[in-house]
């Protein structure tokens, strides 16, 4: 029964989280008391190793228990010793695991842009905090209109991550649409794309502007599901069907590094043109796989 399989899968996920959560919390406590950034970096290396083993354990049982039908295409010239920016569309929480099936240990430990509320998830939220994931706050247009300074909080979080990223190789993952795709959301924002929401350029532009010279490339990931309404629960139940993950490597355009998206209107317009063209190509790829 799919429901029983989903319950067993959830138990596996909880058990691996609790198992790797023990060394994780020991290292979190060490990081809190570590004197200076150099000592914290040594602890962070240990946290990265625990997190990679945690991910690897989950991928191991998922391959054998869920046996997902994955069609993965990726570049051959990847390295965990380089810096990467991964851009992807977003359909489900399953996306994170699909990307890890494709990229685990082929590129460095991932860092995701996360909603601030996720920090309160037991064990996982604290792990993300200790691993220095950037937490983003979501503000309405009305809130930003009343207090424009609120937008600076997310920019400072991204800047801190990029400054720390220069100290050790890492991979920054960004689901550029900012939320999971649904046709209702697409219609509400009058998206020009058939399979995608409008891309949010600010975070990506800040990363490429601050870190572009370190990046070995941009990995453009396109995810599609045979199930038109995929869910993580459906994945845990083993009923998602075929999942396609097509990743291509793009060079960082020469004009991106050093640019200031928020202060230079010409750079901002050029970046919007670039990412909208990328999203148009992605929409065409999804047309052929749907």
């Amino acid at each position: 029964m799919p429901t029983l399989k989903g319950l067993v899968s959830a138990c596996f996920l909880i058990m691996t989280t609790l198992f790797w959560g023990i060394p994780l919390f020991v290292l979190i406590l060490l990081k809190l008391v570590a004197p200076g950034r150099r000592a914290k970096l040594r602890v962070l290396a240990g946290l990265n190793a625990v997190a990679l083993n945690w991910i690897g354990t989950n991928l191991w049982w998922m391959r054998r228990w869920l046996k997902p039908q994955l069609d993965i295409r990726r570049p051959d010239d990847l390295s965990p010793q380089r810096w990467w920016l991964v851009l992807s569309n977003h359909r489900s929480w399953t996306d994170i695991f699909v990307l890890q099936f494709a990229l685990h240990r082929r590129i460095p430990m991932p860092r995701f842009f996360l909603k601030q509320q996720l920090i309160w998830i037991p064990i996982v939220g604290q792990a993300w905090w200790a691993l220095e994931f950037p937490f983003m706050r979501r503000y309405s247009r009305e809130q930003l209109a009343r207090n424009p300074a609120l937008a600076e909080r997310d920019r400072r979080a991204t800047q801190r991550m990029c400054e720390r990223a220069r100290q050790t190789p890492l991979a920054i993952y960004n689901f550029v649409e900012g939320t999971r795709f649904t046709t209702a959301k697409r219609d509400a924002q009058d998206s020009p794309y058939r399979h995608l929401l409008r891309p949010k350029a600010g975070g990506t532009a800040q990363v490429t502007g601050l870190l572009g010279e370190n990046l070995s490339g941009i990995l453009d990931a396109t995810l599609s599901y045979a199930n038109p309404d995929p869910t993580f629960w459906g994945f845990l139940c083993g009923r998602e069907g075929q999942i396609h993950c097509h990743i291509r490597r793009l060079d960082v355009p020469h004009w991106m590094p050093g640019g200031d998206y928020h202060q230079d209107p010409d750079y901002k317009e050029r970046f919007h043109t670039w990412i909208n063209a990328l999203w148009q190509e992605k929409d065409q790829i999804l047309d052929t796989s749907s």
Side-chain angles (χ1 to χ4, degrees):
M1 292 175 58
T3 301
L4 179 59
K5 189 167 193 174
L7 291 172
V8 173
S9 300
C11 289
F12 281 155
L13 194 57
I14 291 170
M15 286 190 296
T16 59
T17 300
L18 292 174
F19 177 83
W20 290 107
I22 295 172
L24 190 81
F25 269 92
V26 171
L27 290 170
I28 289 174
L29 293 174
L30 284 176
K31 189 180 179 190
L32 287 172
V33 300
R37 182 61 185 168
R38 184 172 296 181
K40 290 184 186 298
L41 280 174
R42 287 197 289 268
V43 179
L44 182 60
L47 284 164
N48 281 333
V50 171
L52 285 171
N53 285 320
W54 181 6
I55 292 169
T57 302
N58 285 326
L59 298 181
W60 180 85
W61 68 257
M62 285 177 178
R63 282 194 184 96
R64 286 155 180 78
W65 173 245
L66 298 177
K67 299 179 181 178
Q69 301 175 45
L70 299 175
D71 170 29
I72 293 174
R73 288 174 284 170
R74 60 178 168 253
D76 295 324
D77 55 344
L78 302 178
S79 169
Q81 305 305 321
R82 300 177 185 173
W83 285 257
W84 305 93
L85 172 62
V86 181
L87 305 181
S88 178
N89 61 311
H90 195 13
R91 296 299 314 276
S92 158
W93 268 82
T94 310
D95 299 346
I96 295 173
F97 291 94
V98 174
L99 288 174
Q100 291 313 302
F101 274 115
L103 298 172
H104 180 57
R105 295 193 183 276
R106 291 180 170 85
I107 62 177
M109 174 67 196
R111 298 293 189 279
F112 292 92
F113 286 87
L114 298 170
K115 297 177 183 178
Q116 181 68 25
Q117 299 91 321
L118 297 179
I119 198 172
W120 302 111
I121 297 177
I123 302 178
V124 178
Q126 293 76 59
W128 287 331
W129 172 81
L131 288 161
E132 302 180 351
F133 282 45
F135 285 91
M136 304 287 107
R137 295 171 173 84
R138 296 291 174 83
Y139 302 107
S140 66
R141 291 183 179 179
E142 292 77 15
Q143 288 175 306
L144 291 173
R146 288 195 302 268
N147 186 4
L150 292 175
E152 287 298 322
R153 294 181 180 179
D154 287 352
R155 295 173 195 171
R156 286 195 296 269
T158 304
Q159 185 173 359
R160 284 195 299 271
M161 179 186 64
C162 290
E163 289 170 352
R164 291 167 176 170
R166 295 190 182 98
Q167 299 168 334
T168 184
L170 88 168
I172 301 171
Y173 289 57
N174 191 5
F175 292 109
V176 187
E177 295 156 298
T179 185
R180 294 184 295 276
F181 172 90
T182 66
T183 54
K185 292 177 184 177
R186 181 199 62 193
D187 296 342
Q189 64 174 221
D190 194 25
S191 171
Y193 312 106
R194 182 181 174 192
H195 307 283
L196 302 165
L197 303 178
R198 293 179 181 272
K200 297 180 182 294
T204 304
Q206 194 173 3
V207 170
T208 55
L210 292 170
L211 204 59
E213 292 180 353
N214 295 78
L215 294 174
S216 293
I218 297 171
L219 301 180
D220 173 37
T222 303
L223 303 174
S224 64
Y225 293 75
N227 180 359
D229 187 23
T231 64
F232 187 49
W233 175 247
F235 176 73
L236 291 179
C237 292
R239 59 188 184 202
E240 283 301 84
Q242 188 86 16
I243 304 173
H244 301 272
C245 177
H246 175 209
I247 302 173
R248 56 176 181 160
R249 177 180 176 176
L250 307 175
D251 292 328
V252 179
H254 67 88
W255 52 267
M256 277 190 184
D260 191 333
Y261 175 87
H262 300 290
Q263 298 297 327
D264 184 345
D266 292 333
Y267 183 88
K268 183 174 184 177
E269 182 179 356
R270 192 171 191 180
F271 198 94
H272 274 282
T273 300
W274 177 83
I275 202 166
N276 286 333
L278 181 66
W279 238 236
Q280 186 64 51
E281 292 176 29
K282 189 182 296 292
D283 205 41
Q284 292 171 358
I285 292 172
L286 290 168
D287 257 333
T288 61
S289 60
S290 62

